[in-house]
Amino acid sequence: MAHFNAPKFYNELKNNTIGRFNSVVSTSFGISIAIFGAIASLGFLTFGETCSGLILNNYSSKDLLMSLSRVAVAISIVFSYPLAFVGVRDGLLDLMNVEAKDRTNSKLNKLTVGILSVVTFFALKVKDLSFVLSFGGATLGNALIYVYPALMFRGAVRKMGDKASNALKREVNVAMASAGLGVTMGVIGTKMAIKSLFA
């Protein structure tokens, strides 16, 4: 939920130095990994190989604590939506070359209503989310994880020109290999997603 908001978090961080930002990110990820690891381990130790993709589905619907957990998950999804939404809205504004000083509340509100209207329209029309998720993961997910970072890194090294070290220049090759892997997995995933429509 946070990777596309990283620049925004960096800008809003008090005394925003790279070292301080790295410290915040490392600490946050460390805590998150520990919590997720503990919960995943407990779920697997409880149900073993019969674990459902959503561990709460393994518990009885009559279990009060698990019902409260389901409500907590729903609340988490609802309140994490704005994080993803702000990333989309800011990205659209960047694509339209709208300067930060021109991003008035009126413009932001109109764009928010417009985007939410489109999203709501498709949410009412699309009945099978599995295709949307698999196709989106194969295309946009792979691009965001493997392709775009590699291209940005290559661009940054090129801008450095002669100041770029030989190690950085060699690392560009590794990054581009990663991008190639992402494209390959994206093509395979896209084919599988489209194939599932006709299965």
Side-chain angles (χ1 to χ4, degrees), residues 160-176:
M160 291 173 74
D162 294 334
K163 293 180 183 176
S165 67
N166 288 331
L168 276 177
K169 290 175 182 175
R170 284 193 302 271
E171 195 174 339
V172 167
N173 296 328
V174 176
M176 294 315 294

Side-chain angles (χ1 to χ4, degrees), residues 93-94 97-105 107-108:
L93 289 167
D94 289 341
N97 293 320
V98 178
E99 297 290 332
K101 59 182 173 55
D102 297 327
R103 297 181 185 189
T104 61
N105 284 337
K107 271 187 186 167
L108 292 175

